[in-house]
Amino acid sequence: MSSLTDGWALDLKDLNGWRPVTGPPPRTPPIYHQPLIVYEGNGHLFQGQNVLRVFDFNTETWSEVATQLRNGDPWRKLIPKNYLIAFAAHLYKGKIYVFGGREEWGEYGRNVMMSLDIKTLLWDVWSGTPEVKGDVTIPGPRAYACSWIADDKFYLSLGSAKRKDQGPGADYMYLDIWSFDLVAHNWVEEKFAGNGPCFRTQSAHTFNGAWKKALIFGGYNARMPSSQPEAGAMRIGSYFADTFAWCAENKRWLQVITKGFPTM
């Protein structure tokens, strides 16, 4: 699999076409499911290393800054392979909160919640461990989760844990919702009702502040069979094209009926 390292910009007012901008610095690892977190005119690219790559939107140049763990531990004690993909990340009051992800293909996933203070460049670890351990008081290890921030809480749902020892179709898909209190720094597994999504991972998602709802579209389930009428056969693995909304006020899922797309 090849990775792209170019950069592009689009003026959202004029919409007069895309133009190239400077790509990430040399020796930047492949960028894969690693969001650019925007804060005070800069985009911050975290890739599982203690080096944070920063893009200045005014000068359109990149720089690199070193970060460290507040408790003084060596970085590779937290992320041994020094690379992280498919994690959930959001900005909250000058801090980048990161949950889960994988260090490499085929790994179960992680359940670590940590945050970086962008001003001090210090990391805090709030829950979880680098190695896989069972703990019902926090979300299970996963990658490709849906996540959003609302009402001073970091919400987490869906996603998958890789089980490479049981074959390619044995991924575990989640169907839970957790909230992490960004003030008290504790997890709560949310109860929910309504017509929600089935077990899935890799769904598109966002939070709409005006509606006060999280929206989730599509996704994939590696273990659910689907039919191929043209071939007269069944295959393992299903892609979805349905839409759901989650309301935190009444803790309820709602399916959003849309035109023009099938459900699978």
Side-chain angles (χ1 to χ4, degrees), residues 19-169:
R19 61 179 179 82
V21 296
T22 304
R27 301 181 302 280
T28 297
I31 300 173
Y32 182 81
H33 284 266
Q34 298 157 333
L36 191 69
I37 303 297
V38 178
Y39 177 68
E40 292 188 348
N42 293 318
H44 300 82
L45 178 63
F46 173 64
Q47 298 183 281
Q49 302 174 320
N50 66 326
V51 173
L52 188 70
R53 293 166 178 89
V54 182
F55 181 74
D56 187 314
F57 288 104
N58 293 316
T59 63
E60 297 186 354
T61 57
W62 287 88
S63 61
E64 295 179 329
V65 294
T67 68
Q68 61 183 353
L69 295 170
R70 189 184 299 274
N71 62 9
D73 282 348
W75 181 255
R76 286 182 181 263
K77 183 177 180 180
L78 178 65
I79 304 179
K81 293 173 181 163
N82 207 35
Y83 184 60
L84 197 63
I85 65 171
F87 50 83
H90 294 281
L91 178 72
Y92 175 80
K93 294 186 177 180
K95 295 182 179 181
I96 301 173
Y97 282 81
V98 175
F99 176 84
R102 292 182 188 151
E103 289 189 68
E104 63 178 14
W105 289 101
E107 188 190 53
Y108 280 94
R110 293 162 52 91
N111 65 354
V112 174
M113 169 62 89
M114 56 190 190
S115 66
L116 172 68
D117 187 315
I118 298 176
K119 298 294 187 183
T120 65
L121 299 177
L122 295 175
W123 286 94
D124 292 291
V125 178
W126 301 108
S127 65
T129 55
E131 65 278 6
V132 176
K133 291 183 179 180
D135 188 345
V136 298
T137 66
I138 62 176
R142 71 189 72 191
Y144 304 106
C146 296
S147 61
W148 59 92
I149 285 184
D151 301 323
D152 299 318
K153 292 181 179 180
F154 184 117
Y155 284 90
L156 185 82
S157 184
L158 307 178
S160 59
K162 196 79 172 177
R163 300 191 294 186
K164 61 181 179 180
D165 55 332
Q166 299 183 37

Side-chain angles (χ1 to χ4, degrees), residues 162-173 220-223 236:
K162 196 79 172 177
R163 300 191 294 186
K164 61 181 179 180
D165 55 332
Q166 299 183 37
D171 291 6
Y172 180 80
M173 311 293 162
Y220 173 69
N221 187 315
R223 303 170 64 192
I236 300 300

Side-chain angles (χ1 to χ4, degrees), residues 246-262:
W246 157 259
C247 179
E249 292 182 354
N250 57 19
K251 302 184 185 301
R252 191 174 185 85
W253 282 107
L254 173 69
Q255 184 172 10
V256 180
I257 305 300
T258 57
K259 297 180 179 180
F261 282 94

